[in-house]
Amino acid sequence: MTVREVQKILNATLLCGEDALDAQVRTSCGSDMMSDVLAFVKDQSVLLTGLLNSQVVRTAEMMDMVCIVFVRGKTPDQSVVDLAKARGIAVMATRYRMFTACGLLYEQGLKGGCESDGE
Amino acid sequence: MANDTIKLELEVPGDDFTRAGEASSTVKGMLKKLGFSPNVVRKVAIAMYEGEINMVIHGGGGQITVEISPESGVSMSLVDHGPGIPNIELAMQEGWSTAPDSVRNLGFGAGMGLPNMKKYSDEMEILSEVGVGTTVNMKVHLA
Ligand SMILES: Nc1ncnc2c1ncn2[C@@H]1O[C@H](COP(=O)(O)OP(=O)(O)OP(=O)(O)O)[C@@H](O)[C@H]1O
Ligand SMILES: [Mg+2]
């Protein structure tokens, strides 16, 4: 699916990254621990998180992710959005909670991208 | 790609968590521009970022020296003058962390950073003395 479809499925507000809306995404991960994202993620391209600090963007940047979704209706400081914008990463905020947001995307075909999950 | 080795000296402020990762971001951007393969760029970015975060949350900041060679790869030396690591073998174990809850609330402190640096670098050495500081040297080879 595309980043635009992620936004639609999650009924999310786009905070930056219009240019990335047509990027294709196949896999995703959800976590509030950036340590785990750095250690376990392989080539997932969407990051769902409830954490709001600048290291979320840094982590996504280092992992070459294209889209960050903030869950539970939280929005980060503008400085965090600006950091993502400068790196061409799309940022959006959804009112859904983590479990529901992940479930909705999974249902529409986005995978975890983890072999041991038997997908 | 030019054949000369490029040397970078980067400052890592110890008192500003929001700026942690700036050095890694700079180096990542530079490697991309120089035309290094996506695999090499990613290995350096993740290994260095984990190390840079450690310098900020455990080591009170410091300096990173990076040497980029189009022939042999990327060497990084991360130096801080923080408390040091009393038991390096223990620190290298997955899940072992002394990070307080305040760090965990920021999304770090799972005890995965050092093992991850080992995984993404091709060579790694930790030199540390309690009360003096920590130096982590890493190298990522080409191809
Ligand atoms: N530069 C450093 N100075 C002092 N102690 C360090 C340094 N780097 C690592 N350590 C010690 O080694 C432990 C393990 O480090 P590691 O990076 O693996 O995990 P962490 O930083 O605690 O959590 P994570 O990296 O998963 O966010 C740390 O909790 C800390 O006690
Ligand atoms: Mg760490």
PDB file of all heavy atoms in Angstrom, chain B residues 81-103:
ATOM      1  N   HIS B  81      34.191  10.945  28.434  1.00  0.00           N
ATOM      2  CA  HIS B  81      34.922  10.997  29.705  1.00  0.00           C
ATOM      3  C   HIS B  81      33.947  10.813  30.856  1.00  0.00           C
ATOM      4  O   HIS B  81      34.023  11.475  31.880  1.00  0.00           O
ATOM      5  CB  HIS B  81      35.701  12.309  29.793  1.00  0.00           C
ATOM      6  CG  HIS B  81      36.626  12.500  28.635  1.00  0.00           C
ATOM      7  ND1 HIS B  81      37.806  11.803  28.510  1.00  0.00           N
ATOM      8  CD2 HIS B  81      36.496  13.230  27.501  1.00  0.00           C
ATOM      9  CE1 HIS B  81      38.381  12.124  27.349  1.00  0.00           C
ATOM     10  NE2 HIS B  81      37.603  12.987  26.719  1.00  0.00           N
ATOM     11  N   GLY B  82      33.015   9.882  30.649  1.00  0.00           N
ATOM     12  CA  GLY B  82      31.990   9.596  31.644  1.00  0.00           C
ATOM     13  C   GLY B  82      32.458   8.589  32.680  1.00  0.00           C
ATOM     14  O   GLY B  82      33.666   8.424  32.896  1.00  0.00           O
ATOM     15  N   PRO B  83      31.521   7.886  33.304  1.00  0.00           N
ATOM     16  CA  PRO B  83      31.838   7.007  34.432  1.00  0.00           C
ATOM     17  C   PRO B  83      32.584   5.722  34.055  1.00  0.00           C
ATOM     18  O   PRO B  83      33.128   5.053  34.930  1.00  0.00           O
ATOM     19  CB  PRO B  83      30.453   6.662  34.999  1.00  0.00           C
ATOM     20  CG  PRO B  83      29.522   6.822  33.843  1.00  0.00           C
ATOM     21  CD  PRO B  83      30.077   7.944  33.028  1.00  0.00           C
ATOM     22  N   GLY B  84      32.609   5.386  32.756  1.00  0.00           N
ATOM     23  CA  GLY B  84      33.255   4.134  32.363  1.00  0.00           C
ATOM     24  C   GLY B  84      32.353   2.932  32.577  1.00  0.00           C
ATOM     25  O   GLY B  84      31.282   3.030  33.179  1.00  0.00           O
ATOM     26  N   ILE B  85      32.775   1.787  32.039  1.00  0.00           N
ATOM     27  CA  ILE B  85      31.992   0.552  32.155  1.00  0.00           C
ATOM     28  C   ILE B  85      32.770  -0.451  33.015  1.00  0.00           C
ATOM     29  O   ILE B  85      33.839  -0.904  32.620  1.00  0.00           O
ATOM     30  CB  ILE B  85      31.728  -0.068  30.760  1.00  0.00           C
ATOM     31  CG1 ILE B  85      31.057   0.965  29.834  1.00  0.00           C
ATOM     32  CG2 ILE B  85      30.879  -1.335  30.879  1.00  0.00           C
ATOM     33  CD1 ILE B  85      30.875   0.492  28.394  1.00  0.00           C
ATOM     34  N   PRO B  86      32.273  -0.763  34.213  1.00  0.00           N
ATOM     35  CA  PRO B  86      33.015  -1.641  35.123  1.00  0.00           C
ATOM     36  C   PRO B  86      33.214  -3.058  34.571  1.00  0.00           C
ATOM     37  O   PRO B  86      34.269  -3.648  34.768  1.00  0.00           O
ATOM     38  CB  PRO B  86      32.142  -1.690  36.390  1.00  0.00           C
ATOM     39  CG  PRO B  86      31.144  -0.612  36.245  1.00  0.00           C
ATOM     40  CD  PRO B  86      31.010  -0.285  34.793  1.00  0.00           C
ATOM     41  N   ASN B  87      32.192  -3.587  33.914  1.00  0.00           N
ATOM     42  CA  ASN B  87      32.285  -4.965  33.419  1.00  0.00           C
ATOM     43  C   ASN B  87      31.804  -5.016  31.968  1.00  0.00           C
ATOM     44  O   ASN B  87      30.603  -5.072  31.699  1.00  0.00           O
ATOM     45  CB  ASN B  87      31.428  -5.879  34.319  1.00  0.00           C
ATOM     46  CG  ASN B  87      31.584  -7.351  33.945  1.00  0.00           C
ATOM     47  OD1 ASN B  87      31.945  -7.691  32.819  1.00  0.00           O
ATOM     48  ND2 ASN B  87      31.290  -8.234  34.904  1.00  0.00           N
ATOM     49  N   ILE B  88      32.750  -4.988  31.062  1.00  0.00           N
ATOM     50  CA  ILE B  88      32.408  -4.880  29.633  1.00  0.00           C
ATOM     51  C   ILE B  88      31.675  -6.128  29.139  1.00  0.00           C
ATOM     52  O   ILE B  88      30.724  -6.047  28.366  1.00  0.00           O
ATOM     53  CB  ILE B  88      33.676  -4.605  28.793  1.00  0.00           C
ATOM     54  CG1 ILE B  88      34.194  -3.201  29.122  1.00  0.00           C
ATOM     55  CG2 ILE B  88      33.387  -4.710  27.289  1.00  0.00           C
ATOM     56  CD1 ILE B  88      35.512  -2.826  28.478  1.00  0.00           C
ATOM     57  N   GLU B  89      32.107  -7.289  29.628  1.00  0.00           N
ATOM     58  CA  GLU B  89      31.472  -8.542  29.207  1.00  0.00           C
ATOM     59  C   GLU B  89      29.975  -8.544  29.549  1.00  0.00           C
ATOM     60  O   GLU B  89      29.131  -8.907  28.739  1.00  0.00           O
ATOM     61  CB  GLU B  89      32.156  -9.713  29.910  1.00  0.00           C
ATOM     62  CG  GLU B  89      32.089 -11.009  29.141  1.00  0.00           C
ATOM     63  CD  GLU B  89      32.717 -12.132  29.952  1.00  0.00           C
ATOM     64  OE1 GLU B  89      33.818 -11.906  30.519  1.00  0.00           O
ATOM     65  OE2 GLU B  89      32.097 -13.196  30.053  1.00  0.00           O
ATOM     66  N   LEU B  90      29.683  -8.053  30.736  1.00  0.00           N
ATOM     67  CA  LEU B  90      28.286  -7.964  31.181  1.00  0.00           C
ATOM     68  C   LEU B  90      27.524  -6.930  30.337  1.00  0.00           C
ATOM     69  O   LEU B  90      26.397  -7.179  29.889  1.00  0.00           O
ATOM     70  CB  LEU B  90      28.280  -7.544  32.660  1.00  0.00           C
ATOM     71  CG  LEU B  90      27.006  -7.742  33.467  1.00  0.00           C
ATOM     72  CD1 LEU B  90      26.607  -9.210  33.465  1.00  0.00           C
ATOM     73  CD2 LEU B  90      27.234  -7.259  34.902  1.00  0.00           C
ATOM     74  N   ALA B  91      28.164  -5.804  30.107  1.00  0.00           N
ATOM     75  CA  ALA B  91      27.518  -4.735  29.333  1.00  0.00           C
ATOM     76  C   ALA B  91      27.185  -5.185  27.916  1.00  0.00           C
ATOM     77  O   ALA B  91      26.214  -4.725  27.320  1.00  0.00           O
ATOM     78  CB  ALA B  91      28.415  -3.499  29.287  1.00  0.00           C
ATOM     79  N   MET B  92      27.983  -6.109  27.389  1.00  0.00           N
ATOM     80  CA  MET B  92      27.761  -6.610  26.024  1.00  0.00           C
ATOM     81  C   MET B  92      26.595  -7.586  25.934  1.00  0.00           C
ATOM     82  O   MET B  92      26.157  -7.939  24.849  1.00  0.00           O
ATOM     83  CB  MET B  92      29.025  -7.310  25.501  1.00  0.00           C
ATOM     84  CG  MET B  92      30.133  -6.378  25.041  1.00  0.00           C
ATOM     85  SD  MET B  92      29.637  -5.297  23.688  1.00  0.00           S
ATOM     86  CE  MET B  92      29.223  -6.478  22.410  1.00  0.00           C
ATOM     87  N   GLN B  93      26.098  -8.055  27.077  1.00  0.00           N
ATOM     88  CA  GLN B  93      24.999  -9.025  27.035  1.00  0.00           C
ATOM     89  C   GLN B  93      23.677  -8.354  26.663  1.00  0.00           C
ATOM     90  O   GLN B  93      23.364  -7.271  27.160  1.00  0.00           O
ATOM     91  CB  GLN B  93      24.853  -9.711  28.395  1.00  0.00           C
ATOM     92  CG  GLN B  93      25.923 -10.767  28.612  1.00  0.00           C
ATOM     93  CD  GLN B  93      25.796 -11.428  29.976  1.00  0.00           C
ATOM     94  OE1 GLN B  93      24.748 -11.350  30.615  1.00  0.00           O
ATOM     95  NE2 GLN B  93      26.868 -12.068  30.410  1.00  0.00           N
ATOM     96  N   GLU B  94      22.922  -9.025  25.821  1.00  0.00           N
ATOM     97  CA  GLU B  94      21.613  -8.505  25.429  1.00  0.00           C
ATOM     98  C   GLU B  94      20.718  -8.376  26.650  1.00  0.00           C
ATOM     99  O   GLU B  94      20.594  -9.315  27.433  1.00  0.00           O
ATOM    100  CB  GLU B  94      20.933  -9.445  24.421  1.00  0.00           C
ATOM    101  CG  GLU B  94      21.541  -9.351  23.042  1.00  0.00           C
ATOM    102  CD  GLU B  94      20.751 -10.123  22.000  1.00  0.00           C
ATOM    103  OE1 GLU B  94      19.646 -10.610  22.312  1.00  0.00           O
ATOM    104  OE2 GLU B  94      21.270 -10.228  20.872  1.00  0.00           O
ATOM    105  N   GLY B  95      20.116  -7.225  26.821  1.00  0.00           N
ATOM    106  CA  GLY B  95      19.171  -7.021  27.911  1.00  0.00           C
ATOM    107  C   GLY B  95      19.788  -6.462  29.175  1.00  0.00           C
ATOM    108  O   GLY B  95      19.072  -6.127  30.112  1.00  0.00           O
ATOM    109  N   TRP B  96      21.106  -6.342  29.209  1.00  0.00           N
ATOM    110  CA  TRP B  96      21.728  -5.808  30.434  1.00  0.00           C
ATOM    111  C   TRP B  96      21.847  -4.297  30.321  1.00  0.00           C
ATOM    112  O   TRP B  96      22.479  -3.771  29.417  1.00  0.00           O
ATOM    113  CB  TRP B  96      23.100  -6.425  30.686  1.00  0.00           C
ATOM    114  CG  TRP B  96      23.543  -6.191  32.105  1.00  0.00           C
ATOM    115  CD1 TRP B  96      23.209  -6.919  33.208  1.00  0.00           C
ATOM    116  CD2 TRP B  96      24.372  -5.114  32.575  1.00  0.00           C
ATOM    117  NE1 TRP B  96      23.777  -6.368  34.329  1.00  0.00           N
ATOM    118  CE2 TRP B  96      24.490  -5.267  33.971  1.00  0.00           C
ATOM    119  CE3 TRP B  96      25.011  -4.045  31.956  1.00  0.00           C
ATOM    120  CZ2 TRP B  96      25.227  -4.392  34.759  1.00  0.00           C
ATOM    121  CZ3 TRP B  96      25.745  -3.168  32.731  1.00  0.00           C
ATOM    122  CH2 TRP B  96      25.858  -3.348  34.131  1.00  0.00           C
ATOM    123  N   SER B  97      21.222  -3.586  31.263  1.00  0.00           N
ATOM    124  CA  SER B  97      21.215  -2.132  31.201  1.00  0.00           C
ATOM    125  C   SER B  97      21.200  -1.526  32.596  1.00  0.00           C
ATOM    126  O   SER B  97      20.555  -2.041  33.495  1.00  0.00           O
ATOM    127  CB  SER B  97      19.965  -1.663  30.447  1.00  0.00           C
ATOM    128  OG  SER B  97      19.858  -0.258  30.495  1.00  0.00           O
ATOM    129  N   THR B  98      21.915  -0.427  32.756  1.00  0.00           N
ATOM    130  CA  THR B  98      21.850   0.319  34.020  1.00  0.00           C
ATOM    131  C   THR B  98      21.022   1.583  33.844  1.00  0.00           C
ATOM    132  O   THR B  98      20.986   2.438  34.737  1.00  0.00           O
ATOM    133  CB  THR B  98      23.265   0.727  34.495  1.00  0.00           C
ATOM    134  OG1 THR B  98      23.865   1.552  33.487  1.00  0.00           O
ATOM    135  CG2 THR B  98      24.138  -0.483  34.762  1.00  0.00           C
ATOM    136  N   ALA B  99      20.387   1.720  32.685  1.00  0.00           N
ATOM    137  CA  ALA B  99      19.616   2.945  32.414  1.00  0.00           C
ATOM    138  C   ALA B  99      18.467   3.081  33.404  1.00  0.00           C
ATOM    139  O   ALA B  99      17.744   2.123  33.665  1.00  0.00           O
ATOM    140  CB  ALA B  99      19.076   2.911  30.986  1.00  0.00           C
ATOM    141  N   PRO B 100      18.281   4.277  33.975  1.00  0.00           N
ATOM    142  CA  PRO B 100      17.165   4.509  34.900  1.00  0.00           C
ATOM    143  C   PRO B 100      15.847   4.646  34.135  1.00  0.00           C
ATOM    144  O   PRO B 100      15.837   4.779  32.912  1.00  0.00           O
ATOM    145  CB  PRO B 100      17.529   5.840  35.558  1.00  0.00           C
ATOM    146  CG  PRO B 100      18.394   6.549  34.565  1.00  0.00           C
ATOM    147  CD  PRO B 100      19.106   5.482  33.793  1.00  0.00           C
ATOM    148  N   ASP B 101      14.741   4.653  34.879  1.00  0.00           N
ATOM    149  CA  ASP B 101      13.417   4.774  34.258  1.00  0.00           C
ATOM    150  C   ASP B 101      13.288   6.039  33.417  1.00  0.00           C
ATOM    151  O   ASP B 101      12.605   6.040  32.394  1.00  0.00           O
ATOM    152  CB  ASP B 101      12.321   4.772  35.332  1.00  0.00           C
ATOM    153  CG  ASP B 101      12.026   3.369  35.833  1.00  0.00           C
ATOM    154  OD1 ASP B 101      12.502   2.403  35.176  1.00  0.00           O
ATOM    155  OD2 ASP B 101      11.343   3.222  36.861  1.00  0.00           O
ATOM    156  N   SER B 102      13.978   7.099  33.831  1.00  0.00           N
ATOM    157  CA  SER B 102      13.880   8.348  33.072  1.00  0.00           C
ATOM    158  C   SER B 102      14.369   8.146  31.639  1.00  0.00           C
ATOM    159  O   SER B 102      13.845   8.747  30.706  1.00  0.00           O
ATOM    160  CB  SER B 102      14.695   9.445  33.756  1.00  0.00           C
ATOM    161  OG  SER B 102      16.042   9.050  33.887  1.00  0.00           O
ATOM    162  N   VAL B 103      15.374   7.289  31.465  1.00  0.00           N
ATOM    163  CA  VAL B 103      15.881   6.998  30.119  1.00  0.00           C
ATOM    164  C   VAL B 103      14.913   6.073  29.378  1.00  0.00           C
ATOM    165  O   VAL B 103      14.645   6.240  28.188  1.00  0.00           O
ATOM    166  CB  VAL B 103      17.289   6.368  30.197  1.00  0.00           C
ATOM    167  CG1 VAL B 103      17.678   5.715  28.878  1.00  0.00           C
ATOM    168  CG2 VAL B 103      18.316   7.420  30.594  1.00  0.00           C
TER     169      VAL B 103
END
